[in-house]
Amino acid sequence: MTTVSERPDAPAIEEPPDTGAADPGDRHRLTALQGLAALSLDAMASVAYGPEAIVLVLATAGGYGLGFTLPVTLAIAALLAVLVASYRQVIAAFPDGGGSYAAAKTHLGRRSGLVAAASLVLDYVLNVAVAVTAGVAALTSAFPELYGDRVALCLGVLVVITAVNLRGIVDSARVFIAPTAVFVGAILTMVTVGLFRDGPVSTEAAQGHASVLSDNATTVGALLLLKAFASGCSALTGVEAIANAVPSFRTPRVKRAQHAEVALGALLGVMLIGLSVLISRFGLQPVEGVTVLAQLTDASLGHNWAFYVVQFATMILLALSANTSFGGLPVLMSLLARDNYLPHVFALKADRQVHRHGVIALAVAGAGLLVFSGGDTNTLVPLFAIGVFVGFTLCQTGMVIHWRKAGKPAKAFLNGFGAVLTGISAVVVTATKFTEGAWLIVLALPAIVAVFEVVHRAYGRIGADLGLGRVPEPPHRDHSLVIVPVSGLSRLTCEALNAAVSLGDEVRAVTVTYDDVEDRAAAQSLRRDWELWGPGVDLVELPSKARTVGRPVAEYVRKVYQYHPGTRVTVLIPEVEPAHLWQRLLQNQRGAVLAHAVRRDTDAVICRLRFRLAARR
């Protein structure tokens, strides 16, 4: 059977249809609860910075502007409901995963699908860097002496998350269920307790910190509210992750993924609205150096052990929210590889249903961003969330077409309304953050799409050269010649010739000789021993002025093709495989050098015969 690695132009194997039957690989896939823990950490953790983003924008209008926190949050919650409903339908329509990419490609065309995919790739990579730096920032705020080591700490956290995901998404989900439950429970407890407070029980966390309310308060206009809405929409990042990773769920995959999506929307909506209600109830004013969430915890639960539990849970979840990217991006990359827009190696799975190459690629990209930013969250935040709004808009626009074709105008209107909102948010966020670094995203999006196109064209050329889609000519037998490079007589030589005479019609042994006194003596000795052995195979000497092995053998193969053009030539290279891995350092790697030279300069088939040495006790 031909594999993906053997046919680089062939599409990857698709996921089987979701029939609801038991799947032997289900033990390495997610339940709805595990999917919520593995794929929603980004969205869950966004409650730590989403409400704060709204408050900081409205603070420019003074205390009066802060009064619009709840209305803006309700608008975001309404958009969240639209997105959850939309992605629930995307899950059913595209059970092979892909989310925005699949919806845009199917209903808006190939190029729109690639833009959606590029936006998701950017968002996932940035999410890894932002999540890790935010978590480490919370740690260094509690322990300032660690601030100088923040880059090393960030890389350490990334290594841990990568290692967990390389063991499988189910293992990562099991690891992250507990911190997710603690965080959600702590936020819901804080909101519930706060609703029964007439006023803040403590303001110790904010004492001694300067207020960020503007002295020259602006008026509350449509532009300010729109900017606050766009900034608060950063809380919606990660909503699409479950739809992107439907194949990671157990059967019935669609139902489990839909349940996880609805649960995510419900929890996120309740937390966002609850926190905004508390902001208005306590008349909170943002201050420098203390997060809004910390102030709310202080006001609701007091400055005691509960305060530190919430802060510690927030720190852990922020760091671990990078796991959302590890759950979603490798699946998306596998779909892009299936469609010939990425190397097919990203479509391969390990035993635990892990797209390891995608996981490693994400880790490398994330590490590069961490080093580039110096572990500073503020360097990365202006770039964050822009890509996901592009994906949201394209996805919902595609679903409008989907519902219109299905004759369901009400659902089409709902998705169209969501597309307008997310499209406006994308424009506003890009415009307001353009000079802060968002211009990099504007350049990166088309660059990534261009890479996809280059890969696709390369696979197209390979497919044309291989004649894919056309019936080939019947196979026929040519005269075959097997060439065996040798340097002396040994069991390795004997095994190589045994294999060669079994493979070809004609076998020739070749040895490279040099014009030195010692080398001439060695060549004469080999010739004498060969005649005494008499294996029935001719030994051809290839004189060489340069001390190289590959070039003389390659030139000999070219001469064979020149004088016998119909011959199939195989170069069989015998090599020793040591019993212990460290013993490979003792080898001269002549076989690898020879194989490279022949492969580069000729069309001969390369066959590397490994002779295993037995381990000695």
Side-chain angles (χ1 to χ4, degrees):
M1 181 180 292
T2 304
T3 63
V4 174
S5 59
E6 291 168 335
R7 287 182 53 188
D9 55 294
I13 297 174
E14 296 185 6
E15 294 290 338
D18 190 358
T19 62
D23 188 331
D26 269 354
R27 64 191 184 95
H28 296 307
R29 294 191 175 99
L30 301 168
T31 64
L33 178 61
Q34 290 172 338
L36 191 63
L39 300 171
S40 68
L41 295 183
D42 177 19
M44 294 291 187
S46 66
V47 302
Y49 50 79
E52 182 160 10
I54 298 172
V55 168
L56 289 176
V57 173
L58 294 177
T60 60
Y64 179 69
L66 292 177
F68 289 87
T69 300
L70 183 56
V72 171
T73 304
L74 290 175
I76 293 173
L79 177 57
L80 171 64
V82 172
L83 288 173
V84 169
S86 175
Y87 277 107
R88 189 174 181 276
Q89 298 302 322
V90 171
I91 290 169
F94 302 98
D96 287 339
S100 300
Y101 165 63
K105 183 187 72 170
T106 302
H107 298 298
L108 300 179
R110 183 179 64 86
R111 185 60 59 84
S112 296
L114 294 182
V115 173
S119 68
L120 288 172
V121 169
L122 282 173
D123 183 65
Y124 278 137
V125 174
L126 283 168
N127 174 60
V128 168
V130 170
V132 172
T133 55
V136 171
L139 178 65
T140 56
S141 297
F143 303 98
E145 61 273 12
L146 297 176
Y147 184 78
D149 299 322
R150 62 189 182 281
V151 174
L153 290 171
C154 287
L155 294 176
V157 171
L158 181 60
V159 167
V160 171
I161 297 174
T162 303
V164 171
N165 279 276
L166 285 174
R167 288 187 54 81
I169 193 169
V170 172
D171 283 357
S172 70
R174 289 169 180 165
V175 170
F176 300 145
I177 281 179
T180 304
V182 171
F183 176 79
V184 173
I187 297 297
L188 293 180
T189 300
M190 179 189 70
V191 170
T192 303
V193 173
L195 292 176
F196 290 94
R197 303 282 190 189
D198 294 328
V201 67
S202 171
T203 58
E204 184 177 343
Q207 289 179 2
H209 294 270
S211 173
V212 299
L213 284 180
S214 176
D215 294 331
N216 300 317
T218 62
T219 58
V220 178
L223 184 60
L224 181 68
L225 293 177
L226 198 60
K227 185 177 179 181
F229 174 82
S231 296
C233 279
S234 60
L236 302 181
T237 58
V239 172
E240 79 291 346
I242 292 174
N244 289 335
V246 178
S248 298
F249 284 84
R250 295 181 183 179
T251 52
R253 297 174 190 171
V254 168
K255 289 184 178 179
R256 291 184 188 274
Q258 287 179 328
H259 292 162
E261 185 73 44
V262 171
L264 167 60
L267 286 173
L268 182 57
V270 168
M271 289 190 291
L272 288 174
I273 294 173
L275 292 176
S276 295
V277 169
L278 292 187
I279 290 173
S280 301
R281 190 179 187 85
F282 295 142
L284 182 143
Q285 295 185 2
V287 298
E288 294 181 358
V290 180
T291 65
V292 168
L293 185 61
Q295 291 187 66
L296 289 177
T297 307
D298 197 31
S300 179
L301 302 178
H303 204 79
N304 48 33
W305 62 269
F307 172 84
Y308 290 102
V309 167
V310 174
Q311 298 311 302
F312 186 74
T314 303
M315 177 192 72
I316 294 296
L317 204 74
L318 279 169
L320 297 183
S321 62
N323 194 70
T324 297
S325 296
F326 283 97
L329 183 58
V331 176
L332 175 62
M333 294 176 74
S334 73
L335 295 177
L336 288 167
R338 182 194 66 184
D339 295 337
N340 297 331
Y341 291 111
L342 282 179
H344 285 165
V345 68
F346 291 113
L348 301 180
K349 284 185 179 181
D351 293 338
R352 293 173 174 262
Q353 302 295 320
V354 182
H355 296 95
R356 286 183 175 172
H357 296 90
V359 170
I360 293 173
L362 175 58
V364 171
L369 276 179
L370 290 173
V371 173
F372 167 77
S373 66
D376 182 18
T377 307
N378 293 329
T379 303
L380 300 168
V381 166
L383 311 178
F384 191 44
I386 296 174
V388 74
F389 286 130
V390 175
F392 283 163
T393 304
L394 290 172
C395 177
Q396 296 208 76
T397 303
M399 292 307 293
V400 169
I401 298 175
H402 176 80
W403 292 127
R404 289 181 63 183
K405 290 180 179 178
K408 297 182 178 180
K411 291 186 176 182
F413 174 79
L414 183 65
N415 286 127
F417 180 66
V420 171
L421 291 180
T422 53
I424 292 173
S425 299
V427 172
V428 172
V429 172
T430 303
T432 55
K433 296 182 177 181
F434 189 82
T435 57
E436 300 176 25
W439 60 271
L440 285 172
I441 302 300
V442 175
L443 295 178
L445 267 175
I448 294 176
V449 172
V451 170
F452 292 158
E453 294 283 18
V454 168
V455 173
H456 191 68
R457 285 196 297 268
Y459 277 130
R461 288 192 294 268
I462 293 173
D465 290 341
L466 292 179
L468 290 182
R470 299 194 300 269
V471 178
E473 297 179 358
H476 61 277
R477 180 180 176 84
D478 292 329
H479 177 75
S480 59
L481 168 65
V482 181
I483 297 174
V484 183
V486 298
S487 58
L489 295 187
S490 65
R491 287 182 58 193
L492 179 62
T493 308
C494 181
E495 288 293 331
L497 293 183
N498 287 338
V501 296
S502 302
L503 291 174
D505 299 320
E506 182 183 356
V507 178
R508 297 178 192 172
V510 298
T511 183
V512 180
T513 60
Y514 308 106
D515 194 22
D516 292 337
V517 176
E518 294 182 359
D519 293 313
R520 285 200 300 270
Q524 292 173 358
S525 176
L526 175 60
R527 190 183 311 113
R528 183 177 59 255
D529 293 342
W530 195 271
E531 293 174 354
L532 292 174
W533 180 31
V537 174
D538 293 336
L539 176 64
V540 180
E541 296 184 12
L542 306 178
S544 176
K545 295 181 179 179
R547 300 196 66 83
T548 179
V549 175
R551 194 177 305 160
V553 175
E555 289 176 355
Y556 180 74
V557 172
R558 286 199 298 269
K559 289 180 179 179
V560 171
Y561 281 128
Q562 180 181 354
Y563 294 109
H564 306 283
T567 302
R568 296 279 182 175
V569 179
T570 299
V571 179
L572 189 148
I573 304 172
E575 296 177 293
V576 173
E577 183 174 307
H580 302 287
L581 184 63
W582 68 268
Q583 292 176 337
R584 295 184 182 181
L585 299 174
L586 307 178
Q587 296 177 288
N588 56 25
Q589 306 301 324
R590 288 165 63 95
V593 173
L594 178 57
H596 174 73
V598 175
R599 184 182 295 111
R600 180 191 59 199
D601 299 333
T602 74
D603 294 327
V605 176
I606 305 298
C607 180
R608 300 177 71 173
L609 176 69
R610 300 297 178 92
F611 181 75
R612 295 185 178 182
L613 298 179
R616 295 182 179 274
R617 296 182 178 179

